Amino acid sequence: ILGGKPIIEGTRVAVETVMDLLATGLEINDILSEYPHLTKDDIAGAIEFATQIVKREEILPVLESNGSVVFNFGA
C-alpha cells in the first residue's frame, strides 16, 4: 500500500497509476518501457485487481429534492 492505494507487489507503483496509463492509451509495451522493473504479469495483475474492485462497485441513483437524479458511487 502506498498512500492508502494498492501497489504492484515488490514495487512502489500503484495499481491506479497503471490503470491511468492504460486509460490514456498507452500500450503495455509502452508502460514496460517507462517502468522497466514491471513485467507483463504485473500489469495483468493490476488489471485483474481493478476488475475485481469494479465488479463489487454499485452505482446508486439518488433522487434529489428538485426531482433530478444524480448518481452516488459507493462500494
Side-chain angles (χ1 to χ4, degrees):
I1 295 180
L2 174 68
K5 304 285 185 170
I7 61 169
I8 296 173
E9 186 175 0
T11 74
R12 296 195 46 84
V13 178
V15 170
E16 177 181 11
T17 300
V18 172
M19 300 310 297
D20 283 343
L21 293 170
L22 290 168
T24 64
L26 281 179
E27 300 288 333
I28 291 174
N29 287 333
D30 297 327
I31 297 170
L32 294 174
S33 293
E34 292 290 320
Y35 296 88
H37 57 287
L38 295 180
T39 66
K40 285 185 179 183
D41 285 344
D42 290 332
I43 294 172
I47 294 168
E48 176 61 24
F49 179 85
T51 300
Q52 293 304 315
I53 295 298
V54 170
K55 283 182 179 180
R56 291 184 283 195
E57 281 289 313
E58 292 183 40
I59 301 172
L60 306 172
V62 176
L63 184 60
E64 295 198 328
S65 60
N66 65 4
S68 66
V69 175
V70 295
F71 291 92
N72 180 18
F73 296 89

